[in-house]
Amino acid sequence: MDVLERFTRESPPVSDGRRSAQLKVLHGLERFVAPAPLLSADGEAVRAFLNGRRDGGASAGTVRKERSVMTSFFTWAWREGLVTADALIAIRSIPVPEGSSGVAQPRPYKRWEIQELWRVLDERWARLAPEDAERWLRRWQEGRSPYSRVRSHAIHLQLEAVVVLALSCGVRRGEIYRCSVDDIHPDNAYISVRRSDGTIRELPHTGMARRAAGEWLDFRARVDPPHDRAWLNLWSENTITQPMTEHSFEKLLGSYLGRGWTFRRLRDTGAVEWLRAGLQVWHLQRMLGHRSMKDTLPYVEAAGGDVQRKLEQVERALPWSRTARQNVASG
């Protein structure tokens, strides 16, 4: 019997709605640690999963509830002798997320911080000049040069594509991870973004994203992996054809660029800069995939906009306003 089926049968009874919500959270963790079994998830994996949920836009209140579900599940598993006491203690020791249960406030990077990100990327993972890249890639494919000669170049291309999708297109971490080759192909007019519920939304392909995705996919085509997942495990030549796991993807920016970089803040940065450049807020709502405008309005405040003042300006121009009627009368 599957461990989650057993949990459903043997744990204290709850309402159908609550049980469904519990299983949704636990299935998410199960996918996150795959191909390892769910019960192998330790404190570090659970913490990484919850951090990824927060970076993906989940509120502190939602993450608190999900942490509670996992604590309940692993407490049951410990009582049934399925996990050790040390594993349970590690999971229970994960700090409770702080913050409001309401709409999360954007935390965009400053412009100098984004410049620093590109500097770190160029410094840590130098890319080859075009002519050198073609020569060393050909030599590596022919077996006349080690993978280490092109590894830094490959990591640079993949990291840049990932960062640009968050920064230039506002795509969430989980949505970027789920991308296939066709979803981000530069020949497409739109990027296909797959939500966690299986639905798809389309985003305009920005010039920056088209270039970065194109360069990465050109390299990926040289590797020719036997799957259509966009992101590869570039750690070694033995893993290069394997798709990156969700666990590794959640830690990607921290592992390769250092602490302080998150997909959520890159997305926040792009959204705020779009508003400052003149993008209309309802267009931003579509770009970010928000179902409600209330989720988008905090970005207006972060961009320095005064919603009340903007509304007053618009109101004066409306055909039924007192000011408009007076203008017509005087004309």
Side-chain angles (χ1 to χ4, degrees):
M1 184 188 300
D2 177 81
V3 68
L4 290 181
E5 292 180 7
R6 185 176 168 187
F7 172 67
T8 301
R9 288 172 178 264
E10 300 177 5
S11 61
V14 297
S15 68
D16 290 344
R18 184 175 177 187
R19 182 67 78 198
S20 176
Q22 288 177 336
L23 293 177
K24 182 178 179 179
V25 171
L26 294 171
H27 279 304
L29 178 63
E30 186 175 42
R31 291 191 296 270
F32 184 73
V33 300
L38 174 61
L39 289 173
S40 70
D42 55 12
E44 180 182 353
V46 172
R47 185 194 296 263
F49 174 80
L50 294 175
N51 287 342
R53 292 282 295 130
R54 194 73 192 271
D55 289 343
S59 69
T62 298
V63 176
R64 282 196 291 269
K65 292 176 183 178
E66 294 181 354
R67 176 189 178 280
S68 178
V69 168
M70 294 178 192
T71 302
S72 298
F73 170 73
F74 282 99
T75 299
W76 167 84
W78 169 72
R79 288 172 179 161
E80 296 297 317
L82 302 177
V83 298
T84 66
D86 287 343
L88 176 59
I89 291 171
I91 291 169
R92 284 183 169 179
S93 299
I94 297 173
V96 177
E98 298 179 355
S100 169
S101 297
V103 178
Q105 293 300 310
R107 294 195 304 130
Y109 292 112
K110 295 180 173 60
R111 293 180 183 181
W112 69 263
E113 290 178 302
I114 296 299
Q115 293 174 354
E116 176 66 8
L117 183 149
W118 296 128
R119 187 196 67 78
V120 171
L121 176 62
D122 290 338
E123 186 176 277
R124 291 192 179 185
W125 309 103
R127 62 179 297 171
L128 297 169
E131 60 276 11
D132 292 335
E134 176 59 33
R135 175 164 57 91
W136 288 109
L137 281 170
R138 186 173 61 252
R139 289 176 61 88
W140 168 59
Q141 288 183 299
E142 294 170 351
R144 297 188 295 120
S145 178
Y147 170 61
S148 59
R149 193 66 184 80
V150 297
R151 178 173 178 265
S152 177
H153 178 74
I155 291 172
H156 183 111
L157 295 180
Q158 179 164 257
L159 276 174
E160 184 169 355
V162 165
V163 167
V164 166
L165 284 173
L167 181 64
S168 174
C169 300
V171 189
R172 297 179 178 90
R173 181 196 64 80
E175 294 169 338
I176 298 174
Y177 172 72
R178 287 187 287 271
C179 284
S180 70
V181 171
D182 288 342
D183 291 338
I184 61 172
H185 200 281
D187 290 344
N188 298 337
Y190 293 90
I191 297 171
S192 295
V193 177
R194 301 173 186 272
R195 295 188 176 98
S196 58
D197 61 6
T199 59
I200 297 177
R201 62 187 176 96
E202 292 185 331
L203 291 175
H205 224 323
T206 67
M208 189 176 180
R210 197 183 300 276
R211 178 192 57 77
E215 291 181 347
W216 161 245
L217 292 181
D218 284 346
F219 176 87
R220 186 191 178 283
R222 304 287 286 266
V223 176
D224 194 23
H227 56 82
D228 69 345
R229 301 298 297 273
W231 317 115
L232 303 179
N233 183 348
L234 302 176
W235 189 254
S236 71
E237 189 165 15
N238 293 331
T239 64
I240 191 173
T241 60
Q242 299 173 6
M244 191 183 303
T245 67
E246 189 169 6
H247 191 189
S248 297
F249 193 83
E250 192 276 334
K251 301 186 296 183
L252 183 67
L253 300 182
S255 298
Y256 286 89
L257 296 175
R259 297 181 61 183
W261 304 111
T262 70
F263 289 98
R264 180 179 177 182
R265 293 192 65 189
L266 288 172
R267 171 178 153 93
D268 288 350
T269 304
V272 167
E273 292 299 332
W274 291 333
L275 288 173
R276 288 173 176 166
L279 186 72
Q280 300 294 336
V281 68
W282 48 88
H283 291 156
L284 178 65
Q285 180 185 5
R286 179 193 168 195
M287 289 291 291
L288 296 180
H290 289 160
R291 290 184 171 89
S292 172
M293 181 60 76
K294 72 177 183 180
D295 297 324
T296 312
L297 289 179
Y299 290 91
V300 178
E301 182 179 352
D306 185 332
V307 178
Q308 182 64 40
R309 182 172 59 84
K310 291 292 185 183
L311 285 175
E312 291 172 354
Q313 291 174 351
V314 170
E315 186 180 32
R316 287 195 294 270
L318 293 174
W320 55 82
S321 71
R322 180 184 297 273
T323 303
R325 295 201 308 269
Q326 290 174 344
N327 289 340
V328 171
S330 63

